[in-house]
Amino acid sequence: MSSAKKIVVYFAHLAIEQSVINRTLRDAVGDLDQIDFRDLHELYPDFFIDARAEQAVMREAELIVFQHPIYWYAAPAIFKHFLDTVLLRGFAYGPGGDALQGKDFLLVASTGAPAEEYSPEGIHHNTFEDLIRPIEQTVRFCGMHWLPHLVLHGGHGLPQDVVDAHAARYRQFLEDYRPASQR
Ligand SMILES: Cc1cc2nc3c(=O)[nH]c(=O)nc-3n(C[C@H](O)[C@H](O)[C@H](O)COP(=O)(O)O)c2cc1C
């Protein structure tokens, strides 16, 4: 392939200076050669996403990662706007819309609540997997391959060594990543 990066990480956080988990994860992978790390709020502070530019980035990537904290059972709003403006008919679906077919997709997310609260008995009443169904289905609808997601629960007050170990797993996953054609 061309000199384009084979992994693109899309990232968003509303208050990165207060972040523990996502800042640690960002710092753990940001220097990897094969990654194009794209902070959506930094690139598009006014939300005017350059759809053509992002489509070109996605076209070249083999693995597309969305990394973010969970806000109200979903991604930060700019991710929804990204989906609505970039995953267009003729690009991501519909006639001629095969640009994302066969690519891998990885969700890397963090929650404030501990894992046990994501269950029918917990305060969130649903499993985490139930709540991320819309993004999983979006990914599948566009012909991408949904990889097992990487989630760190209990973000409020986790010991730093737990966060660091998670960040190391994330980095290792990206370092070891091979496109489907090479697996
Ligand atoms: C606007 C907002 C909404 C949030 N909604 C949820 C939620 O629905 N479920 C949850 O477990 N945590 C929720 N949280 C907590 C964040 O997910 C948590 O603080 C974050 O994942 C920790 O990562 P960080 O250290 O990178 O900020 C919310 C936080 C904010 C600011």
Side-chain angles (χ1 to χ4, degrees), residues 24-25 28 162-175:
T24 304
L25 267 58
V162 173
V163 180
D164 289 343
H166 188 74
R169 276 195 297 277
Y170 179 29
R171 183 184 170 93
Q172 193 67 53
F173 179 89
L174 296 186
E175 278 181 336

Side-chain angles (χ1 to χ4, degrees), residues 121-175:
E121 299 74 34
I123 52 171
H124 297 307
H125 296 291
N126 293 272
T127 66
F128 186 71
E129 288 67 31
D130 286 338
L131 293 167
I132 60 173
R133 212 70 79 194
I135 182 62
E136 180 180 352
Q137 177 53 28
T138 302
V139 163
R140 293 192 194 281
F141 186 74
C142 296
M144 290 186 274
H145 177 53
W146 175 263
L147 298 175
H149 52 281
L150 215 54
V151 58
L152 189 57
H153 291 294
H156 300 146
L158 280 178
Q160 187 63 40
D161 62 320
V162 173
V163 180
D164 289 343
H166 188 74
R169 276 195 297 277
Y170 179 29
R171 183 184 170 93
Q172 193 67 53
F173 179 89
L174 296 186
E175 278 181 336

Side-chain angles (χ1 to χ4, degrees), residues 6 14 34-35 56 82 86 90-91 100 106 116 123 137 154-155 179:
K6 73 176 179 189
L14 273 180
Q34 67 272 39
I35 290 183
F82 179 91
V86 179
F91 171 73
L100 303 177
L106 175 68
E116 60 272 19
I123 52 171
Q137 177 53 28

Side-chain angles (χ1 to χ4, degrees), residues 7-11 29 35-39 65 67 170 174:
I7 300 176
V8 58
V9 178
Y10 285 107
F11 172 79
V29 304
I35 290 183
D36 186 357
F37 193 93
R38 301 178 77 74
D39 182 330
V65 180
Q67 185 203 319
Y170 179 29
L174 296 186

Side-chain angles (χ1 to χ4, degrees), residues 56-70:
V57 169
M58 292 181 100
R59 240 180 240 285
E60 292 295 331
E62 313 250 21
L63 170 63
I64 295 163
V65 180
F66 278 14
Q67 185 203 319
H68 59 77
I70 295 292

